[in-house]
Amino acid sequence: PPFTATAAMASLDQMAANPSHISRLQENVAYMYEQLIKADLAYLVVTSDERSPIIVLQLYKESVYEAAITSGIMRECLDRGVAIVATGQDASSHARTELAPAIRITVSTLHAKA
């Protein structure tokens, strides 16, 4: 679609004009993965590639309640001022393909270490 193509071209222009954004993003992604590993999440596991700025967390063991659990985690995060996305049966019923229940966190160059 034209909008997506325009957004992609603008992103490429930004990366060309500001190469430091790429290294900053890579640093932020590495830091987030390090923190998730340090957190030793008992029931969640990171299933995305460690180079990806989109971090996918899924339940360690499958459950019929996965969508409800991930949605609950999302609501708790929102209550604490942290925006994340939960996917699953409840969250993606309008989509053509159903995604496995998961939590998706997007890391950006604007994130700062606390």
Side-chain angles (χ1 to χ4, degrees), residues 48-70:
S48 52
D49 187 281
E50 64 187 19
R51 296 166 293 183
S52 175
I54 300 173
I55 300 173
V56 180
L57 298 168
Q58 291 181 296
L59 293 180
Y60 184 72
K61 292 183 179 182
E62 288 186 25
S63 166
V64 295
Y65 303 108
E66 282 177 304
I69 292 168
T70 56

Side-chain angles (χ1 to χ4, degrees), residues 11-113:
S11 295
L12 292 171
D13 290 343
Q14 282 293 319
M15 287 189 287
N18 303 294
S20 63
H21 287 265
I22 296 170
S23 58
R24 172 80 174 156
L25 179 61
Q26 290 170 333
E27 290 170 13
N28 287 352
V29 167
Y31 179 75
M32 181 62 94
Y33 276 92
E34 287 170 16
Q35 295 307 306
L36 287 169
I37 290 168
K38 280 184 187 178
D40 192 28
L41 305 171
Y43 298 102
L44 294 171
V45 61
V46 177
T47 59
S48 52
D49 187 281
E50 64 187 19
R51 296 166 293 183
S52 175
I54 300 173
I55 300 173
V56 180
L57 298 168
Q58 291 181 296
L59 293 180
Y60 184 72
K61 292 183 179 182
E62 288 186 25
S63 166
V64 295
Y65 303 108
E66 282 177 304
I69 292 168
T70 56
S71 291
I73 293 169
M74 179 195 67
R75 282 190 299 279
E76 180 66 27
C77 287
L78 288 173
D79 288 346
R80 294 176 183 220
V82 177
I84 62 170
V85 174
T87 63
Q89 186 175 2
D90 297 337
S92 65
S93 59
H94 64 282
R96 290 185 190 166
T97 58
E98 188 173 309
L99 300 171
I103 295 170
R104 286 175 172 68
I105 303 168
T106 303
V107 180
S108 80
T109 58
L110 299 176
H111 288 119
K113 296 176 185 172

